[in-house]
Amino acid sequence: MTSGQNRWTLALTALVLIAMFVAIWMVFQYVPNERVMGPVQKIFYFHVPAAMITFLSVFLLMASSITYLWTRNQRWDRISLASTEIGLMFCTLVLVTGPIWAKAAWGVWWTWEARLTTTLILWLLLAGCLMVRGYAQNQDLGARLASVLGVIAALDVVIVYKAVHWWRGQHPIVFKSGEKNPLAPEMYTTFMYCIGVFMALFLLMMILRVTVLALENRTQALAERRTGELS
Amino acid sequence: MKNFDFLFWAYNVIWLGIGGYIVFLVLRLKAVSERLQRLEKSSGD
């Protein structure tokens, strides 16, 4: 990584960290409380963008996994690994924030409702992607197995999204197709801002993680070559 | 808002966790870049 790229990365990191604090301020100070649910509705501003980024990560995971299986180019495997880790992190965020809202709205932390259950399956699939990499006999086998699991995870995303329509679960649907936006202007602005912050976070994390993986691979290759030369 | 202090703190902890992960990545990037530079330098010697 050149010093120019380093400067850009640091600037983007600082910008995203500031944007994160502005998002907290907007959610807790700027946006009004929802009439029926009160302050607990504020979970929506982080829960939904986190779910969107989880879906985005998994679709990137699927695209990079298929491309890796096709080309066996390590670059695609690095993108696949980075999107798995980041997707798992955001999926964890969804599974943590959801029950906080559910306890206040439904009176229980968890219920085996279709969307919740399929989201938990998605989390397990993403964790599985990382585990097979760690437990496989060699790196190539681990990458191939993780790629196959990555494609299955993407299929599960479709089920997560359609679950509330197919099985009519308890999970609320805020934006219904063909219907007017139900949010007040401040709520909509905050929601869109939070989506922007989460997108920037995702972009930053992807850049950083893929760069770290690329440098680690290069360092490992160089260190192995040095050991070979010395022995 | 008093009754929802836990909500506020839960979110701050989550954001701090995300911020912490980014800081970890930046530090890891710095450490790997330095190690690679050292290796490249010593390979050139």
Side-chain angles (χ1 to χ4, degrees), chain A residues 51-65 80 83-84 86-88 91 122-123 125-126 129 149-158 202:
Chain A
M52 285 175 164
I53 299 301
T54 306
F55 290 178
L56 181 65
S57 303
V58 177
F59 282 122
L60 184 61
L61 165 65
M62 180 192 68
S64 53
S65 294
S80 169
S83 50
T84 307
I86 294 162
L88 182 65
C91 193
L122 179 65
W123 189 92
L125 283 167
L126 291 174
C129 283
L149 269 179
V151 175
I152 297 169
L155 295 176
D156 185 51
V157 162
V158 180
F202 172 71

Side-chain angles (χ1 to χ4, degrees), chain B residues 1-21:
Chain B
M1 199 68 165
K2 254 183 215 168
N3 297 332
F4 288 92
D5 278 354
F6 81 95
L7 185 69
F8 179 77
W9 288 112
Y11 272 106
N12 277 311
V13 167
I14 287 164
W15 280 111
L16 282 174
I18 292 174
Y21 179 65

Side-chain angles (χ1 to χ4, degrees), chain A residues 118-136:
Chain A
T118 47
T119 307
L120 180 64
I121 292 170
L122 179 65
W123 189 92
L124 290 169
L125 283 167
L126 291 174
C129 283
L130 294 181
M131 285 173 79
V132 290
R133 283 177 186 275
Y135 291 119

Side-chain angles (χ1 to χ4, degrees), chain A residues 1 10 13 17 20 24 28 39-40 43 46 85 89 93 97 100 198 201 204-205 208-209 211-212 215-216 218-219 222 226, chain B residues 1 4 6-8 10-12 14-19 21-23 25-26 28-29 32-33 35-37 39-40 42-43:
Chain A
M1 205 177 209
L10 280 174
T13 307
L17 289 174
M20 275 163 59
I24 294 173
F28 288 98
V40 78
I43 279 169
F46 295 150
E85 279 184 14
M89 203 185 75
L93 203 61
T97 53
I100 295 175
F198 273 74
L201 259 174
L204 175 67
M205 285 176 179
L208 286 173
R209 194 65 188 104
T211 311
V212 167
L215 289 179
E216 277 174 352
R218 226 170 106 193
T219 309
L222 203 61
R226 286 265 298 164
Chain B
M1 199 68 165
F4 288 92
F6 81 95
L7 185 69
F8 179 77
Y11 272 106
N12 277 311
I14 287 164
W15 280 111
L16 282 174
I18 292 174
Y21 179 65
I22 292 176
V23 171
L25 283 178
V26 170
R28 181 94 192 105
L29 181 63
V32 178
S33 299
R35 188 167 174 231
L36 185 65
Q37 267 177 359
L39 272 169
E40 280 174 343
S42 62
S43 299

Side-chain angles (χ1 to χ4, degrees), chain A residues 25-41:
Chain A
W25 176 82
M26 282 180 90
V27 169
F28 288 98
Q29 295 293 320
Y30 169 70
V31 76
N33 284 341
E34 205 261 349
R35 258 180 306 176
V36 181
M37 280 187 281
V40 78
Q41 182 269 345

